[in-house]
Amino acid sequence: MRRPNKAPPVASKDGPRINDDIRNAQIQLIDQAGDNKGTVETVAAIRMAQEAGMDLVEISPNVSPPVCKIMDYGKYKYSAQKKAAEARKRQKIVEIKEIKLRPMIDDHDYDVKMRAMQRFFEEGDKVKITLRYRGREMAHQEIGTKLLDKVKSDVAEFAKVEQDARFEGRQVVMVLAPR
């Protein structure tokens, strides 16, 4: 039995079409100096680009006729790649750090948690505060509410409340973001 011919899938190119990949009969041409040459036959535009030692690159394919520019495509791709790398290098990924509290936390433990929280805000990270109730602590939820209010007032100068305290089962969750 003959097996069906499995040709590899056609690789789709990323980026604009160049030179012979441009299939339109006429294009709007911009030369290497940036001057608009008007509507030109595609074949003539490709010839002009080759004479200049450059490529014909399709800039705006969705207009009629499509806009093409004569430029050095290798240099264009290289500069685009450098810009993308620079943008990736500059971006800051904001992490969400979590601080877990209990309603009956002691003063020193609270101070340690607050110092950690302040360090997270200085690094530019968000902080998720989780206040967990155990057993009979659920009967005295006002203690936890007072604790969260105290946290809000203590960090008010270097953080703002992004998501106010809300109940999720036996715990209360609040998210703070740096100012």
Side-chain angles (χ1 to χ4, degrees):
M1 176 170 41
R2 185 178 168 276
R3 297 195 186 269
N5 185 10
K6 288 277 188 176
V10 178
S12 62
K13 283 182 61 179
D14 57 334
R17 292 187 287 198
I18 58 169
N19 298 332
D20 294 328
D21 293 339
I22 301 169
R23 294 285 175 221
N24 299 60
Q26 291 188 331
I27 58 164
Q28 184 79 24
L29 181 66
I30 299 171
D31 67 359
Q32 59 269 31
D35 301 327
N36 191 345
K37 296 291 185 184
T39 306
V40 181
E41 297 287 324
T42 306
V43 178
I46 291 173
R47 195 176 317 110
M48 288 171 62
Q50 286 173 345
E51 287 170 6
M54 297 190 177
D55 302 302
L56 183 68
V57 182
E58 191 175 45
I59 303 296
S60 299
N62 298 331
V63 292
S64 181
V67 180
C68 297
K69 186 173 182 179
I70 297 175
M71 66 169 81
D72 185 352
Y73 184 66
K75 193 180 285 186
Y76 168 76
K77 254 182 100 169
Y78 179 76
S79 65
Q81 194 176 7
K82 283 292 182 190
K83 279 183 193 171
E86 190 68 28
R88 275 195 307 274
K89 191 167 76 175
R90 284 200 186 125
Q91 77 181 6
K92 165 80 172 90
I93 296 157
V94 177
E95 290 183 43
I96 297 182
K97 305 284 189 168
E98 186 173 15
I99 299 280
K100 293 187 177 181
L101 299 173
R102 295 282 313 284
M104 300 301 291
I105 190 167
D106 198 38
D107 291 338
H108 182 264
D109 297 332
Y110 176 80
D111 294 340
V112 170
K113 302 269 187 186
M114 292 308 291
R115 278 197 302 272
M117 207 180 300
Q118 187 171 0
R119 191 180 74 241
F120 295 151
F121 289 133
E122 287 168 359
E123 292 170 2
D125 296 324
K126 294 181 181 181
V127 176
K128 175 181 174 184
I129 299 172
T130 306
L131 177 73
R132 178 160 293 167
Y133 292 104
R134 283 202 211 146
R136 292 189 195 149
E137 291 172 346
M138 284 296 286
H140 300 284
Q141 294 176 3
E142 69 278 355
I143 298 171
T145 308
K146 284 180 189 171
L147 180 65
L148 288 177
D149 290 340
K150 183 179 175 190
V151 169
K152 274 188 217 176
S153 64
D154 287 351
V155 300
E157 64 194 51
F158 44 81
K160 61 182 183 280
V161 178
E162 188 170 274
Q163 181 183 36
D164 214 15
R166 70 170 202 272
F167 256 92
E168 294 179 359
R170 288 190 154 268
Q171 61 188 21
V172 181
V173 176
M174 181 169 68
V175 179
L176 302 172
R179 284 201 186 271

